[in-house]
Amino acid sequence: DAKTTQPNSMESNEEEPVHLPCNHSTISGTDYIHWYRQLPSQGPEYVIHGLTSNVNNRMASLAIAEDRKSSTLILHRATLRDAAVYYCILRDVRYNQGGKLIFGQGTELSVKP
Amino acid sequence: DGGITQSPKYLFRKEGQNVTLSCEQNLNHDAMYWYRQDPGQGLRLIYYSQIVNDFQKGDIAEGYSVSREKKESFPLTVTSAQKNPTAFYLCASSIGTGASYEQYFGPGTRLTVT
């Protein structure tokens, strides 16, 4: 399974943009990049995913490097409710394997008022 | 509202006892999953089921058992053979394949074994 590398922690100020990086230098052409986040004492929730092109949804944007070896999750205006652990996950669509996701340790984002 | 329910939220057991964690979903999803999370760590897959009456071991299945008799239910039994059962247990279900895929998680059960 292709691995991802994320910083252990990041800090942000409320109402400022946040850029959460993820390195995945061994990504294959059939790996989708998924982001989930986990608020304290809750189950993870889906944020966004993409393959090659940048993606936007109501929660965030996903910027994918041209060589696909890195990506960045962008929260446009951080709020206190965005404080969570953010997981960057690769999922190879060639091998369904029950659709399982492999979670690393993620990036713990703290947001200061 | 559709979603995944796990009960109870907190569970306490004595060492040597088996315990069953409940997971129910009304999302009509075929696939369901059980993960374990230890403090400060990511999630690790215990078991998963792609369809009723079928399930596969994940990365850390030893000491656990599951059943999938109904589409909406996927209970997990933590047996006395599990050496370190104290953890946060998360159930999930998924929809879609390929480009369109998303996992939905329940609120979790925090199990403490003493």
Side-chain angles (χ1 to χ4, degrees):
Chain A
D1 295 321
K3 294 189 183 299
T4 63
T5 304
Q6 300 177 254
N8 288 334
S9 62
M10 290 184 65
E11 276 189 356
S12 171
N13 294 317
E14 198 176 9
E15 298 189 5
E16 290 186 356
V18 181
H19 291 234
L20 297 163
C22 181
N23 288 321
H24 28 78
S25 58
T26 58
I27 193 170
S28 75
T30 50
D31 279 323
Y32 274 79
I33 303 160
H34 290 254
W35 284 83
Y36 282 74
R37 73 178 186 181
Q38 186 176 21
L39 279 63
S41 298
Q42 295 187 28
E45 63 175 345
Y46 168 84
V47 178
I48 201 167
H49 76 280
L51 181 63
T52 56
S53 303
N54 295 344
V55 185
N56 299 297
N57 66 21
R58 63 175 180 81
M59 286 182 71
S61 296
L62 176 59
I64 301 173
E66 199 169 329
D67 64 4
R68 300 187 72 237
K69 293 188 176 184
S70 66
S71 60
T72 303
L73 179 70
I74 302 166
L75 307 179
H76 296 287
R77 286 186 66 195
T79 70
L80 297 178
R81 289 174 295 179
D82 291 322
V85 177
Y86 287 78
Y87 297 99
C88 171
I89 301 165
L90 299 183
R91 179 171 174 266
D92 191 336
V93 297
R94 292 176 300 171
Y95 310 111
N96 189 29
Q97 297 181 344
K100 67 177 183 178
L101 299 175
I102 298 173
F103 287 77
Q105 291 192 312
T107 296
E108 184 169 10
L109 175 67
S110 56
V111 180
K112 296 184 289 185
Chain B
D1 287 330
I4 299 177
T5 56
Q6 291 186 245
S7 60
K9 190 173 177 68
Y10 298 95
L11 190 55
F12 299 88
R13 280 293 182 271
K14 295 288 188 186
E15 197 173 322
Q17 293 179 335
N18 291 353
V19 58
T20 297
L21 311 184
S22 167
C23 177
E24 304 280 329
Q25 55 104 353
N26 60 4
L27 299 167
N28 200 33
H29 290 172
D30 286 318
M32 296 187 73
Y33 312 81
W34 273 105
Y35 293 89
R36 168 188 172 131
Q37 187 173 34
D38 294 288
Q41 304 296 314
L43 283 67
R44 291 184 290 167
L45 184 66
I46 304 172
Y47 268 98
Y48 62 99
S49 167
Q50 293 179 265
I51 199 166
V52 174
N53 293 322
D54 186 51
F55 49 83
Q56 286 78 42
K57 293 182 179 180
D59 301 318
I60 55 165
E62 186 175 348
Y64 299 98
S65 66
V66 293
S67 63
R68 186 85 188 277
E69 296 176 2
K70 299 186 295 183
K71 187 175 186 177
E72 58 270 22
S73 178
F74 191 39
L76 173 75
T77 297
V78 184
T79 74
S80 56
Q82 168 50 235
K83 294 178 183 176
N84 296 299
T86 295
F88 187 43
Y89 290 88
L90 288 154
C91 178
S93 66
S94 69
I95 188 168
T97 58
S100 175
Y101 179 83
E102 186 174 336
Q103 273 195 19
Y104 294 76
F105 286 81
T109 292
R110 197 168 295 277
L111 173 65
T112 302
V113 177
T114 57

